[in-house]
Amino acid sequence: MKIKTKNLLTLAELSSKEFAALIDYSIVLKKELKKGNKPLLKNKTLAMIFQKPSTRTRVSFEAGMFQLGGHAINLSSQEMQLSRGETIEDTAKTLSRYVDCIMARVYDHNLLEKLSDSSNVPVINGLSDSFHPCQILADFMTIKEKKGKFKGLKITWIGDGNNVCNSMIYGCALSGTKMSIATPKGFEPDKSVLKESTKSVEIDLTTDPIKAIKNADVVVTDTYTSIHNNDQKRIKKFLPKYQINDSLMKHANNDAIFMHCLPAKRDYEVTSSVIDGPQSVVWDEAENRLHTQKALLASIIRA
């Protein structure tokens, strides 16, 4: 399949039909992998720029390109001329002469916008401080596999209204899935994302996790501190109220699934009993990063 947008930076570039088609295509590619790989991107090359550390993003994109018959180049920003003052615009213009697509995992979303504006090839957001669209494609693929549908479901987000939450809101708007968000005051998701998305779907904001999780079909969280960040003042705003634990999960539907984009800071935003428990689908969710990256790459790279 092909999608109309040149770049994927937020998910808002997709239509509802394209979003649904990407999810379905990901499921097809997952099934086809068992039969052998099809070289859909033979002789195509992906440049991967990393300002931030990565496990799932790097491996899923690199393995995905290999399985599709293409090649991926890992580019640490410290190893590029970016670290010596070359502009992102000049980097984009140069890479466009060498590769068929650029994926970048960066801190500042504005950098991605500059990169895409100057690139002649598609640019994919592998994560920025504002959005994480690739994660949400994998999340909704997992929901489709486990629940068989989107409409009529309720997704509950508990914790920090961060970049993943922003993209989850766009995913709900594109799929018609109701969403309830519980965050501490001052940690709400992006107001412009909410304003745009509530035109399409019901999204409830609250500071009460128990209220948010009631009748939830899907429960989602993310870290509210980085793996190496032990900012006690920030932690106290989330713990213990916003921790996903067995007690809180009892307020969701009995067949609710638990999701986390990983890496998890265990016994902070989620207890080990939940992430390792029977309702957790985090490992299927992580695997599906591979299949949705492949579907996205095969759809966005032009023949």
Side-chain angles (χ1 to χ4, degrees):
M1 63 167 285
K2 295 296 178 184
I3 53 179
K4 292 182 179 179
T5 182
K6 175 197 166 194
N7 307 304
L8 189 76
L9 304 185
T10 69
L11 278 185
E13 302 91 347
L14 299 176
S15 68
S16 295
K17 287 184 178 180
E18 287 176 327
F19 181 77
L22 271 175
I23 301 303
D24 290 341
Y25 188 31
S26 302
I27 293 171
V28 169
L29 290 178
K30 183 176 183 177
K31 293 177 180 178
E32 288 183 348
L33 181 58
K34 298 177 182 179
K35 303 175 183 177
N37 297 308
K38 292 183 179 180
L40 301 174
L41 294 179
K42 185 178 181 181
N43 297 325
K44 300 294 183 180
T45 302
L46 171 71
M48 305 187 299
I49 300 174
F50 289 97
Q51 283 188 334
K52 302 186 71 174
S54 173
T55 299
R56 281 151 289 274
T57 297
R58 179 182 173 181
V59 176
S60 58
F61 269 107
E62 190 163 343
M65 279 299 289
F66 175 79
Q67 291 177 11
L68 292 171
H71 179 65
I73 303 172
N74 178 40
L75 300 168
S76 165
S77 61
Q78 294 303 309
E79 298 171 343
M80 301 172 66
Q81 296 297 343
L82 280 170
S83 65
R84 299 176 61 190
E86 183 174 48
T87 67
I88 192 66
E89 291 88 351
D90 289 352
T91 298
K93 291 173 184 176
T94 301
L95 290 179
S96 295
R97 301 294 182 102
Y98 300 147
V99 303
D100 302 285
C101 185
I102 301 169
M103 183 279 293
R105 184 178 174 91
V106 302
Y107 289 97
D108 186 355
H109 189 77
N110 183 58
L111 192 72
L112 274 171
E113 294 177 339
K114 291 180 179 179
L115 180 68
S116 62
D117 287 344
S118 298
S119 173
N120 291 325
V121 299
V123 173
I124 296 171
N125 178 4
L127 178 142
S128 71
D129 59 356
S130 299
F131 299 100
H132 197 356
C134 292
Q135 178 63 50
I136 301 310
L137 288 172
D139 288 356
F140 274 85
M141 176 185 175
T142 308
I143 293 169
K144 184 69 176 289
E145 287 181 324
K146 303 301 180 182
K147 297 295 184 180
K149 62 179 182 178
F150 298 134
K151 290 186 178 180
L153 297 179
K154 177 185 176 181
I155 296 176
T156 293
W157 176 280
I158 295 176
D160 187 12
N162 61 10
N163 52 354
V164 183
C165 183
N166 289 333
S167 289
M168 178 67 77
I169 293 168
Y170 275 144
C172 287
L174 289 167
S175 63
T177 311
K178 180 181 178 181
M179 187 175 184
S180 186
I181 302 168
T183 71
K185 188 175 181 180
F187 291 87
E188 298 85 358
D190 187 282
K191 291 181 180 178
S192 62
V193 174
L194 285 168
K195 183 178 180 180
E196 183 178 352
S197 299
T198 49
K199 297 175 183 177
S200 304
V201 72
E202 181 182 350
I203 300 173
D204 296 322
L205 286 178
T206 181
T207 58
D208 185 349
I210 294 177
K211 179 182 177 182
I213 203 172
K214 186 178 180 181
N215 298 322
D217 300 289
V218 182
V219 180
V220 193
T221 192
D222 189 12
T223 54
Y224 38 79
T225 61
S226 70
I227 290 296
H228 302 294
N229 183 347
N230 290 308
D231 183 343
Q232 293 302 310
K233 290 183 179 180
R234 182 180 176 89
I235 289 171
K236 286 180 180 179
K237 294 179 180 180
F238 289 89
L239 286 178
K241 184 176 181 179
Y242 295 91
Q243 183 188 75
I244 309 295
N245 50 40
D246 293 320
S247 177
L248 187 59
M249 283 295 292
K250 288 179 181 177
H251 293 279
N253 289 340
N254 291 333
D255 62 349
I257 58 174
F258 170 76
M259 302 175 69
H260 190 305
C261 64
L262 302 178
K265 202 164 187 179
R266 286 170 177 257
D267 298 318
Y268 281 76
E269 73 272 8
V270 61
T271 60
S272 291
S273 61
V274 171
I275 199 170
D276 295 328
Q279 291 173 280
S280 175
V281 296
V282 298
W283 312 118
D284 293 327
E285 179 186 4
E287 177 192 343
N288 285 341
R289 289 291 302 276
L290 170 65
H291 309 298
T292 51
Q293 315 300 39
K294 289 170 65 177
L296 177 59
L297 288 166
S299 300
I300 207 168
I301 294 177
R302 309 308 182 202

